[in-house]
Amino acid sequence: MHGEYKVPGGKLVVVDLDAGEGVLRDVTVAGDFFLEPDEAILSINKALEGAPSSTDAAGLAARIDAALPEGTVMYGLTSEAVGIAVRRALARATDWTDYDWQLIHEGPQPPALHMALDEVLTAEVAAGRRPPTLRVWEWGAPAVIIGSFQSLRNEVDAEGAARHGIEVVRRISGGGAMFVEPGNTITYSLSVPEALVQGLSFQDSYAYLDDWVLGALGELGIRAWYQPLNDIATDQGKIAGAAQKRVVGPGGGPGAVLHHVTMSYDIDADKMLEVLRIGREKMSDKGIKSAKKRVDPLRRQTGLAREAVIERMIESFGGRYGLCRGKVTDEELTRARELARAKFGSAEWTARVP
C-alpha cells in the first residue's frame, strides 16, 4: 500500500507498507523533508512496525514521538503527518496527479445559479460522469451568501441588504456568511472525488485542499497559511475563508467533496457592515476590534488587477497538477437552472433557519 501527504507549508511524506493480520508490516517512510539525526528515520519505521492497522493518525504520531532519539529535529515534517500518510495508504487514497483536472471559468452568473452549479457539478463528480473540477466564479450581482446552518435574521440586516440591492442566498455548505460584489472577490470551487481526501480528518482535508492556493499566493509574493478550521491568513490579516460539503455517491457508494473558497480582492467594508450583522462575540473571538480589519484585500497586497491574480492562480494549479479548459454541459446547466429556481431562489430554502 502506498500513501502520500503534503504537509501544509511543509514537505511531502510518502509511506509504503503492508497490512496483514490487522497490523502494519514492512513500513518505509520517505520524502523530501529534513530530519536529524539520520537514524531517526529508522526509529520512525520501527515505531510503526506492528502497530494495529486501526490506529488513528494521532495514535501513530504518539508511537513515533515515543521512539524518536533525543534531540531529533524535523523540518517540513511532523509525526502526525507521517500518521496521516499511513492512514491514507490504508484507505487507498488517491493523489492530485492521479486525475485529469478540468477548469471551468465562464461569464458572470446569478448568485442562486452559482449555488446550484456547486451542487450539480459535485454530484456529477460523485457519479463519475465529470472529472475533478476547478471552477472559478464570476458574480453577476452583489450578494450575501450564508452558511447552510446559519440563522438568516441573525446574520443579515434585511433593511441594509434591500437598500443596497443585495441578494441573499443560502449555500449547501456550512461556515459563515460571505459578502461579495462583482469585481471585488475571487471565488472558486473544487469538486473532487472523496478518494482524494481519504485518510484525512475533516480539519486536515481543509488544509490539504487549500495547499495549492497557498503556493499560488506565495508565487504572487504573499506569505499565507492555513488557519484552522477554514481560514487562509497572512501577517496582515485574514484573506479568505473556505467551506465544504460531502456528497454521497450513487447507491451510497464513494462520493465527492465540494470545497469552495472566497478571497477578498477589494472590499467596501462600510457597506459590508450595513448588510451583515457581525456580532461583538465573533469579533472578540478573533481578537480584532474593527470588522474592517477582518479582511485584507488582495489588490493591495499584490498590486495586480483581479483578472491577473486569477490567471496566475490558474497557471499555478495547472503547473502542479495539469488542467484542461472545459465548460458546464448543457445538461448540467439545465439542471442547475431548475435547482436555482426551485431551491436556491426560494424563500423556503433561504429562510430554512429563520
Side-chain angles (χ1 to χ4, degrees):
M1 299 177 185
H2 179 87
E4 298 185 2
Y5 179 64
K6 169 67 166 58
V7 180
K11 300 295 184 176
L12 181 68
V13 181
V14 181
V15 175
D16 290 287
L17 56 83
D18 288 324
E21 300 180 352
V23 297
L24 306 185
R25 299 294 186 198
D26 300 325
V27 182
T28 300
V29 177
D32 60 354
F33 48 80
F34 299 92
L35 179 65
E36 294 289 347
D38 282 353
E39 57 267 24
I41 192 68
L42 301 178
S43 298
I44 293 174
N45 293 340
K46 185 176 180 180
L48 296 172
E49 195 73 22
S53 55
S54 59
T55 310
D56 62 13
L60 294 170
R63 290 176 68 105
I64 293 169
D65 289 338
L68 287 174
E70 186 176 352
T72 295
V73 176
M74 296 180 174
Y75 183 77
L77 171 71
T78 65
S79 298
E80 186 174 6
V82 177
I84 292 171
V86 170
R87 296 309 315 168
R88 284 176 59 76
L90 292 168
R92 301 186 185 279
T94 55
D95 184 67
W96 295 85
T97 54
D98 292 331
Y99 300 103
D100 295 323
W101 291 87
Q102 185 176 115
L103 169 69
I104 294 176
H105 187 193
E106 300 180 339
Q109 294 162 319
L113 184 59
H114 278 305
M115 305 302 111
L117 283 168
D118 261 0
E119 182 168 326
V120 169
L121 297 182
T122 307
E124 288 297 285
V125 172
R129 293 187 291 264
R130 161 170 283 283
T133 299
L134 167 65
R135 182 170 74 92
V136 180
W137 305 21
E138 296 293 345
W139 294 95
V144 167
I145 304 92
I146 58 176
S148 181
F149 311 108
Q150 288 189 296
S151 163
L152 177 61
R153 62 171 170 255
N154 288 345
E155 297 297 327
V156 182
D157 185 315
E159 292 183 0
R163 184 168 60 253
H164 290 291
I166 293 176
E167 182 178 352
V168 181
V169 293
R170 185 185 295 274
R171 62 181 184 268
I172 60 174
S173 61
M178 305 184 302
F179 171 75
V180 301
E181 293 182 289
N184 281 0
T185 57
I186 296 173
T187 304
Y188 68 85
S189 300
L190 287 169
S191 295
V192 306
E194 186 179 27
L196 184 62
V197 297
Q198 285 287 0
L200 299 178
S201 68
F202 192 73
Q203 177 173 317
D204 288 333
S205 72
Y206 272 86
Y208 186 71
L209 295 177
D210 280 339
D211 187 66
W212 77 272
V213 81
L214 300 184
L217 290 170
E219 293 166 11
L220 290 168
I222 299 175
R223 190 180 74 86
W225 59 86
Y226 164 72
Q227 183 170 298
L229 172 66
N230 60 336
D231 288 347
I232 296 173
T234 72
D235 54 9
Q236 298 182 52
K238 174 181 172 180
I239 204 168
Q244 284 188 8
K245 175 68 177 178
R246 308 296 170 108
V247 175
V248 178
V257 177
L258 167 66
H259 180 93
H260 45 199
V261 173
T262 291
M263 312 179 76
S264 296
Y265 174 75
D266 195 4
I267 191 165
D268 186 336
D270 289 328
K271 186 184 295 185
M272 179 183 73
L273 288 174
E274 291 180 30
V275 174
L276 295 182
R277 299 185 188 277
I278 301 177
R280 292 181 181 177
E281 183 176 348
K282 179 183 291 185
M283 302 313 301
S284 62
D285 179 62
K286 296 182 181 293
I288 301 170
K289 296 179 180 178
S290 169
K292 292 184 182 181
K293 295 180 181 178
R294 291 190 63 214
V295 290
D296 187 53
L298 278 168
R299 179 181 60 80
R300 179 164 59 86
Q301 293 202 51
T302 65
L304 297 173
R306 175 179 175 275
E307 294 75 15
V309 174
I310 291 174
E311 193 57 37
R312 295 275 291 273
M313 289 172 59
I314 290 172
E315 290 174 358
S316 181
F317 188 102
R320 284 179 173 227
Y321 310 125
L323 192 62
C324 65
R325 289 190 176 265
K327 66 176 185 177
V328 177
T329 67
D330 291 341
E331 181 181 351
E332 290 168 340
L333 185 57
T334 297
R335 287 167 53 199
R337 283 173 172 164
E338 174 57 25
L339 197 60
R341 183 197 64 79
K343 178 178 178 179
F344 294 104
S346 71
E348 180 181 10
W349 168 258
T350 304
R352 77 184 189 109
V353 183

